[in-house]
Each structure stands twice: as structure tokens, then as C-alpha cells.
Amino acid sequence: MISIILLAALGKFSFIVAFVGYLVVFFALVLLVIIFTNIPKLYHIQIRKKLRRKGKYIDRPEGCCMAISGETNAAIGLALFLYFNELHDHENMVMTIDKVSRRYSPWSSKIYGLTNYNFNRK
Amino acid sequence: MRRFYTVAGVLLLLGLFSFIIPDGLIFSDLNPDIAQGVQDVDKVDLHDSETGFLSGAWAGVKQFVAYSGFANVTYKHLLMLLVGLLFIFLAIRYDYEPLLLIPIGVGILIGNIPFVQDAGLKLGIYEDGSVLNILYFGVTAGVYPPLIFLGLGAMTDFSSLMSNPKLMLLGAAAQVGIFLTFLGAMVLGFSPPEAGAIGIIGGADGPTAIFLSSKLANGVNMWNGETVSNLIGPIAIAAYSYMALVPIIQPPIMSLLTSKKERVIKMKPPRSVTRLEKILFPIIGLLLTAFISPSSLPLLGMLFFGNLLKESGVTRRLADTARNSMIDTVTILLGLTVGASTQADVFLTTDSIMIFGLGALSFMVATAGGITFAKVMNLFLPKDEKINPLVGAAGVSAVPDSARVVQNEGLKYDPTNHLLMHAMAPNVSGVIGSAVAAGILLSFLL
């Protein structure tokens, strides 16, 4: 009943715009979903082919290998980063002094220093 | 909650004033002397040698007063100035969307300074040749929104979407808000182009809303021989206000439509996406969506272009400019001019109130649409691939606010369940969906 009243009030045009519009939005995104669900599969097939050709690919039965999730990888990455970042705090405490031998220069001489002048302090 | 009260208060205030204050009740009506002064000053010739010094000076003072803001102020101006000040206050005091509210708030102040209209001063945003009018051209001609989309593309990481493409459908489902609001606006008596522009508020995407309203409801285009109203200001303000209100609007709908068991569903962590996929996404996305809906090309073309700048890895400088300095510059101009376009006489109308009402409704419908579709998808998905229906709420664009809301709501029921990355997928697909919807509405209604 409500739909009949609405249809009478709005006219066919509005419903067509709304219905077709929504359908097109869905269609566009469904196409993207289909494409991007299949791209990784195609990509992996390509990589497998390449590796097989080079003799590096070994067919493994499903579930035999450890699958590490992105979250776990991120946690491992963060832990490594923090570990290496903090490394400098654990340096050995032995200090060494390198003796630097320089040739004499009047520019760095202590006897010509400003403090050695005998100023008249009276 | 405080945020809700303040914004709801502003909207209520706007509503009340537009109903209470009749048109034409202006300060100069209450003070006829000043109004008369504006008429008189034109009659006194200050260069006339017959005019005495004192009378000439008095005429000059009268002219100055007549042209000042005090002589031309109306209650509507004062109200809008109050709203502008409130926007600035909310942004500074509560850090409430400051990047948008400060430019919009100052824009409202600038746009509502009273002055003598039609005196050839070229001050108002709607006066041809004024500085504000020239800047406003970027809004009316739809220049700013694609530039914002360029920056958005250069900022957005689509990898969450590529790792689980089926979540894209949630972004499509949430666009139901746009089309139901379109029908709602038609029921309320708006013309089809106006209704289309109002409906896009449900896309929860400010630039898209401005882009579509600048094309469909710009006060210039015609429908059935009648000029369509200029609704850019109210639509933009409504879209941005409700985007900021996402943390208030969405949670009740989310808890209403989901069971406790559904809210704690843990989803598989997203897989890592290869660089090739990241590069292919903007190229395929652009070609596909532009072929389906060419009218959305200015928005989607720029969005995917920006994303390619980011993902190609060889245009780092361009990507940096697009996502930093350029988007900042355009945001300043867009915010300021949209704020200034809320000139009291154009903005405070009953249409604006209806737009605010429809906007709130469309956000709710869009949220419900996304959640419901996630539940429907769960009926067909295997047990280990179930979707947490809360994620569906992120299908309304509002990047990244709605994804953040999903994350917070998820954590409320299970502190170990992080939904942010999953929610980003429908969130960014919602941006694509709303841009496609805008293109379709444009092709139907222009």
C-alpha cells in the first residue's frame, strides 16, 4: 500500500534512478571484487611457473608449512626493531683514550696563550 | 556525548531561528533612521561647492555609517556569526575536526559580515567579480573536490581492500543511503536534481557531496524550465557535520542490528599484498569504474591517479606534494569558501532544515545497509571466513572516522579483536562507491 502511494507521489522516474543507480554501484564494485580476487591467483601461478622452470619450486602438500599471519610478522618485526634499537644501551664500559701526537705549533702553544700575559692588575 | 549535545544544539538553533524569524526582519527595519540614511547619502553630493563644510562632513559620516556592518546587520547575520564562532570554539576547545571547522567557521564569519548589497562593492561571495566569488568558482565549477581526491588517493593505502576483496561489497551496500535519501527528498518536494544532491550526503563524503551539489543544485541549472535552488552551502555543512558526528550516529545502530555473538567474530588477519597488486589496483580501478560511470571520472580519475603516484614508488615527490601541501591548500580554500557560502539570506531557509534532517537519516540508513549486508554475506560464507558485521558500518565513506568507530566498538566487546584493518577495506571502497553513485546521479539528473 505504502509503495503504491510512494510510487504515485514520486513517479516512475525516481524509482528508476534509485534502482538503476544502486545496481550500477554494486555492479562496478562486484567487478572489482572479481578482478582482485583472481589477480593474486594468476600472479602466483606465474611465479610458480617461473620457479619450476628454474627448478626452484617444490610442490608442497597443503598444510605442511607454517603459515605466519601478517599480525605475527608485524609483532616479530617490531620486536626485532626494538631489540636493535636498544642495543646501544648495552655497550661495554671500558673507555680507551687514543693518544694523538701533534707537531708543535705556536698557534696551539700554551706559552703564547692569552692567560700567560702579565697584565698589570693594579 | 558532549560533542553530540553541542552539534545537535547548533542544528536545533539553526532550525528554530529559521522558523521563528520571518524574512525581512532586519535591523534597519527597527531603526528607520539608519535605513533612511543609506537613501539620503546618495542624494548629498560631497563634491558640490555649494555644500557647506559641516553639512558635507555630516553627510560623509552618515555615508560611512550607512555602509558599515552595524547599519546592515540582521538577526540572521548575527545568528550565522554565532554559528561560525561556535565552529571555531569547538575546533579549538575540543579538537573537533579542526582542519575543517576552523576554515569553515572563519568562512561563515567572512560570509556573514553585513554590508550594503548591490552597491557595486564586490564583496559578497555571490557578487560577480569579488575575490570570494573568484575563489568560490573552485566550488561551483567543481575544481576543488577532484584535487582533494588526488590528495586522498596519495594518502590511501588500498592493501587492506586488496587482501580481502569481498569486503568491497560492504562499501557498495552502504550506498543504499544515497538512493533512499534521494527518494526521501523527492517525497519532501525537492526537484530531482536537488534530491540527487541531497541524497549524496548519505555517501558520507564531503568532496563528493560538494562536487555533485555544485553540478546539480548550484542555483543556475534548470529542471523542467525552472531554476534549481542553490543548496551547495547547506549540503556541504550537513555532510561535514554528520561526518564528524559518525562516532555518535553509528554505535547505537551497530549494537541494535548485531548480536553479542556477532560482535566478537574474529576475522582472519589480512594477507600481505605484493607491490604489483598495489600498482595494478589504481590502473584497473580507474579503467573499470570510468568505463562504467564516465561522469565520475573527475573524482575517481584523480583518486586513482593520486594512488598510483603513491604506489608506483618512483614519484615520491609528486605523491608528497599531493598528500601534503596541495591537499592542505585546497582544504583551506574549500573550507573557507563553503563557509562563506552560508550567507544568511541563502542559508537560513526551511530547505536547509529539511536537508539536515535527510542527511541524518541517510547516514543511519547507510550504516544499517552496510551492517545488514555483512550479515547476509555471513549466511553464505564458510565458518572460518565469517565477517564481523560491525565492519559493515565502515561502508559509509567518512574515511577514516567510521573505521575508527568500528575498531572502538569491536574492542568494547573483545579487547583483543582489532577490526581497524578489516574496516578500512569497506571504508575506502565506500569512497569509490559514493563517487560512482555521484557519477550515475549526474548522468541521470543533469
Side-chain angles (χ1 to χ4, degrees):
Chain A
M1 184 65 186
I2 295 167
S3 59
I4 296 167
I5 295 167
L6 275 175
L7 192 66
L10 295 171
K12 222 166 33 180
F13 174 73
S14 317
F15 278 99
I16 290 171
V17 172
F19 181 71
V20 175
Y22 194 45
L23 219 62
V24 173
V25 172
F26 240 99
F27 176 65
L29 288 168
V30 165
L31 269 182
L32 274 176
V33 170
I34 293 168
I35 291 172
F36 282 94
T37 314
N38 290 305
I39 277 184
K41 289 176 190 167
L42 291 171
Y43 185 60
H44 283 295
I45 290 169
Q46 191 71 16
I47 289 175
R48 252 180 260 165
K49 266 186 192 170
K50 245 188 208 173
L51 289 174
R52 265 200 205 111
R53 232 179 286 143
K54 288 179 183 172
K56 287 180 185 169
Y57 186 79
I58 307 155
D59 280 311
R60 294 190 182 106
E62 232 173 82
C64 80
C65 312
M66 188 174 63
I68 303 173
S69 71
E71 282 169 346
T72 318
N73 277 331
I76 293 168
L78 181 67
L80 285 172
F81 171 76
L82 289 175
Y83 174 72
F84 288 117
N85 207 28
E86 296 296 315
L87 265 187
H88 66 91
D89 289 337
H90 303 287
E91 288 162 352
N92 56 6
M93 301 300 287
V94 181
M95 289 175 78
T96 54
I97 300 167
D98 284 341
K99 200 175 178 183
V100 183
S101 60
R102 274 200 206 94
R103 286 197 314 163
Y104 170 78
S105 158
W107 293 104
S108 59
S109 167
K110 282 182 183 172
I111 54 170
Y112 295 120
L114 200 66
T115 48
N116 290 334
Y117 281 108
N118 191 17
F119 290 112
N120 185 5
R121 293 176 197 277
K122 284 182 183 175
Chain B
M1 209 54 199
R2 191 169 49 189
R3 175 183 283 200
F4 173 72
Y5 286 134
T6 43
V7 176
V10 174
L11 298 179
L12 197 72
L13 214 66
L14 286 175
L16 283 174
F17 269 86
S18 67
F19 280 118
I20 292 167
I21 300 170
D23 290 335
L25 180 59
I26 57 171
F27 185 71
S28 46
D29 285 347
L30 302 174
N31 194 347
D33 290 347
I34 293 176
Q36 192 58 43
V38 182
Q39 319 286 322
D40 290 345
V41 285
D42 293 334
K43 292 171 193 165
V44 181
D45 185 3
L46 298 178
H47 298 286
D48 189 0
S49 55
E50 296 294 312
T51 312
F53 174 76
L54 276 178
S55 57
W58 177 237
V61 170
K62 273 170 79 179
Q63 184 166 348
F64 169 73
V65 170
Y67 276 91
S68 73
F70 298 105
N72 297 288
V73 72
T74 69
Y75 284 115
K76 288 183 174 184
H77 283 121
L78 290 177
L79 174 68
M80 288 309 295
L81 290 174
L82 214 63
V83 172
L85 290 173
L86 193 67
F87 271 35
I88 296 168
F89 170 74
L90 289 174
I92 297 171
R93 180 72 180 81
Y94 299 117
D95 201 24
Y96 169 58
E97 299 285 340
L99 296 182
L100 286 172
L101 288 199
I102 293 275
I104 292 178
V106 176
I108 294 174
L109 296 187
I110 290 173
N112 287 286
I113 298 292
F115 57 87
V116 181
Q117 300 271 1
D118 305 324
L121 297 172
K122 291 190 176 176
L123 290 174
I125 196 162
Y126 297 111
E127 280 184 272
D128 279 340
S130 73
V131 176
L132 281 175
N133 185 261
I134 292 165
L135 294 178
Y136 191 52
F137 173 79
V139 175
T140 52
V143 177
Y144 297 146
L147 292 177
I148 295 266
F149 261 61
L150 178 68
L152 208 64
M155 277 181 191
T156 310
D157 184 5
F158 285 104
S159 53
S160 59
L161 187 145
M162 280 176 271
S163 69
N164 195 356
K166 63 177 175 291
L167 291 179
M168 245 188 268
L169 295 176
L170 300 176
Q175 304 314 315
V176 68
I178 294 178
F179 297 102
L180 287 183
T181 313
F182 165 72
L183 292 177
M186 292 285 292
V187 171
L188 287 178
F190 286 98
S191 70
E194 291 167 349
I198 295 166
I200 205 70
I201 299 173
D205 201 338
T208 310
I210 292 170
F211 179 76
L212 195 67
S213 52
S214 71
K215 301 280 177 197
L216 292 180
N218 53 12
V220 178
N221 59 318
M222 310 281 281
W223 183 263
N224 279 348
E226 281 182 33
T227 313
V228 173
S229 319
N230 181 357
L231 302 176
I232 302 172
I235 288 173
I237 298 284
Y240 279 116
S241 305
Y242 288 125
M243 273 166 68
L245 275 179
V246 155
I248 307 296
I249 296 173
Q250 288 197 317
I253 301 165
M254 289 156 94
S255 49
L256 193 73
L257 293 178
T258 52
S259 65
K260 206 175 174 188
K261 200 178 156 192
E262 286 171 324
R263 282 176 231 145
V264 293
I265 292 176
K266 277 196 177 178
M267 294 169 71
K268 268 187 185 172
R271 69 174 173 87
S272 53
V273 178
T274 60
R275 187 168 169 237
L276 180 71
E277 283 174 86
K278 283 184 181 180
I279 293 171
L280 282 177
F281 183 77
I283 297 170
I284 295 174
L286 168 65
L287 294 173
L288 196 79
T289 49
F291 265 83
I292 292 172
S293 169
S295 317
S296 55
L297 191 59
L299 295 176
L300 288 174
M302 293 301 240
L303 179 79
F304 289 124
F305 171 47
N307 192 243
L308 188 62
L309 290 180
K310 174 180 178 275
E311 300 299 354
S312 66
V314 289
T315 48
R316 190 173 296 225
R317 278 174 49 194
L318 300 185
D320 278 346
T321 307
R323 67 171 159 244
N324 295 312
S325 10
M326 200 208 64
I327 200 168
D328 289 350
T329 312
V330 182
T331 304
I332 290 169
L333 292 173
L334 186 71
L336 192 76
T337 46
V338 162
S341 72
T342 60
Q343 212 165 284
D345 50 338
V346 180
F347 189 76
L348 288 178
T349 59
T350 42
D351 279 359
S352 301
I353 305 307
M354 285 198 275
I355 289 168
F356 281 118
L358 285 165
L361 200 72
S362 67
F363 260 61
M364 290 176 198
V365 173
T367 308
I371 296 169
T372 313
F373 195 77
K375 291 175 76 148
V376 172
M377 279 172 80
N378 274 346
L379 297 176
F380 303 99
L381 289 171
K383 206 178 174 184
D384 60 329
E385 284 186 25
K386 295 266 190 230
I387 298 168
N388 189 321
L390 293 179
V391 167
V396 302
S397 313
V399 183
D401 279 3
S402 55
R404 223 181 285 152
V405 169
V406 171
Q407 161 81 353
N408 292 339
E409 287 300 302
L411 287 178
K412 263 188 208 168
Y413 299 100
D414 180 359
T416 61
N417 196 5
H418 295 276
L419 295 170
L420 186 67
M421 281 310 282
H422 304 292
M424 278 311 287
N427 211 193
V428 290
S429 76
V431 176
I432 301 171
S434 56
V436 173
I440 296 156
L441 288 172
L442 206 58
S443 55
F444 269 118
L445 304 172
L446 197 63

